[in-house]
Amino acid sequence: MLDDFFVRALIAGIGIAVMAGPLGCFVIWRRMAYFGDTMAHSALLGVALSLLLELNLMLSVFIVAAVVSVLLLFLQRRGALSTDALLGILSHSALSFGLVIVAFMTWVRIDLVGFLFGDILAVSESDIDIIWGGGILVIFAIVYLWRPLLASTVNPELAEAEGLKPERTRLFFMLLMALVIAIAMKIVGILLITSLLIIPAATARRFSTSPEVMAVLASVIGALAVTGGLFGSLHWDTPSGPSIVVAAVGLFVLSLLPIGRRPLEAAHHSTPGGHH
């Protein structure tokens, strides 16, 4: 018989995997893996500000991540620097500001390791409500935005010509990322969120015949990684968050084995429009 805290961890982890999967696919298709890191790093600044100003933690992280997203779009329009350079500047700035603010708050005891790596085994029932409530909201938003998101990923100029407003769609996508990171931070930690976004989606790419199949598979693979990682951490007494990522990496390595269809062929089919 499994303990209550373990069952809660499973339910919470699967909820995060389900909403992270489809978003992770767009992160891979748009070659925005570093953007995920930037958003995750901005979460620490959100944590620091929530403690300083006594704000709700999740709300504070979402606001900071959203501001970083809008700032990125603004700086990209200016065209002064390449996107990866801008992401590097924003990522390290947000992380450093967060750490400096935390250092100044000598009256606050802060568990940085907990925020960086999360503590999925400490999930409460109210956390589960927030995760699944937010998860359902994210999934509905992705379904609603699927066509414009996909069109602007494959060909932004064509999407613009069709009146699908790729810039606005991109902003919505970034805000969804901010929401997922705000929800997931407490559970899997700042450093592990990007892993749950990217690794299951990269694994799903090997077995997918269409973008839709890849999005669903990414959620399923993420849920398998959460389940395998948690049971592994229970069996070997290893940290739960990193164990989930190790399980995800294990599934990714298995996906590289030449079984059935060639990986390259599968990857080609599962990229929107067959582009790389």
Side-chain angles (χ1 to χ4, degrees):
M1 192 69 186
L2 294 170
D3 288 316
D4 284 353
F5 72 87
F6 189 83
V7 174
R8 285 197 299 271
L10 266 178
I11 294 167
I14 289 168
I16 288 168
V18 166
M19 63 176 155
L23 275 180
C25 294
F26 283 103
V27 169
I28 283 179
W29 292 331
R30 288 169 173 244
R31 294 181 172 85
M32 288 175 72
Y34 200 24
F35 172 70
D37 263 341
T38 304
M39 298 290 271
H41 286 166
S42 73
L44 189 64
L45 179 56
V47 170
L49 290 175
S50 81
L51 291 169
L52 185 66
L53 306 173
E54 297 181 356
L55 299 170
N56 175 276
L57 179 65
M58 205 171 282
L59 181 65
S60 180
V61 170
F62 173 72
I63 289 169
V64 171
V67 168
V68 168
S69 302
V70 173
L71 200 56
L72 175 65
L73 283 177
F74 172 73
L75 291 171
Q76 278 178 326
R77 279 195 175 164
R78 296 284 301 273
L81 284 168
S82 63
T83 299
D84 62 337
L86 289 172
L87 284 171
I89 292 166
L90 288 171
S91 172
H92 300 304
S93 303
L95 188 60
S96 301
F97 273 116
L99 288 169
V100 168
I101 291 170
V102 166
F104 273 114
M105 288 189 294
T106 50
W107 64 92
V108 176
R109 292 281 304 206
I110 180 166
D111 178 18
L112 271 183
V113 173
F115 284 119
L116 292 173
F117 297 102
D119 189 3
I120 196 167
L121 297 177
V123 173
S124 66
E125 286 184 12
S126 61
D127 289 333
I128 290 173
D129 292 341
I130 291 167
I131 289 163
W132 279 94
I136 289 164
L137 185 71
V138 168
I139 294 297
F140 271 121
I142 291 169
V143 170
Y144 179 72
L145 292 167
W146 185 262
R147 185 168 167 263
L149 265 175
L150 208 56
S152 61
T153 300
V154 176
N155 192 327
E157 290 82 13
L158 190 61
E160 185 76 63
E162 287 182 11
L164 292 172
K165 298 186 174 65
E167 277 290 306
R168 193 178 70 179
T169 304
R170 190 154 186 252
L171 177 61
F172 279 132
F173 168 71
M174 288 174 161
L175 291 176
L176 282 177
M177 284 276 288
L179 181 60
V180 168
I181 282 163
I183 292 169
M185 184 200 67
K186 188 177 174 184
I187 315 304
V188 290
I190 292 164
L191 297 180
L192 305 180
I193 293 168
T194 324
S195 312
L196 267 187
L197 279 164
I198 294 167
I199 301 172
T203 309
R205 188 176 193 160
R206 302 292 178 182
F207 306 107
S208 306
T209 51
S210 71
E212 290 79 9
V213 170
M214 181 169 158
V216 172
L217 263 182
S219 290
V220 172
I221 290 164
L224 283 174
V226 166
T227 308
L230 282 174
F231 276 101
S233 79
L234 187 68
H235 186 71
W236 287 295
D237 195 25
T238 52
S240 48
S243 299
I244 290 168
V245 179
V246 168
V249 171
L251 290 171
F252 175 70
V253 171
L254 283 175
S255 78
L256 298 177
L257 299 175
I259 303 163
R261 210 146 54 101
R262 288 200 307 272
L264 192 65
E265 185 189 341
H268 176 82
H269 278 290
S270 65
T271 307
H275 293 292
H276 281 288

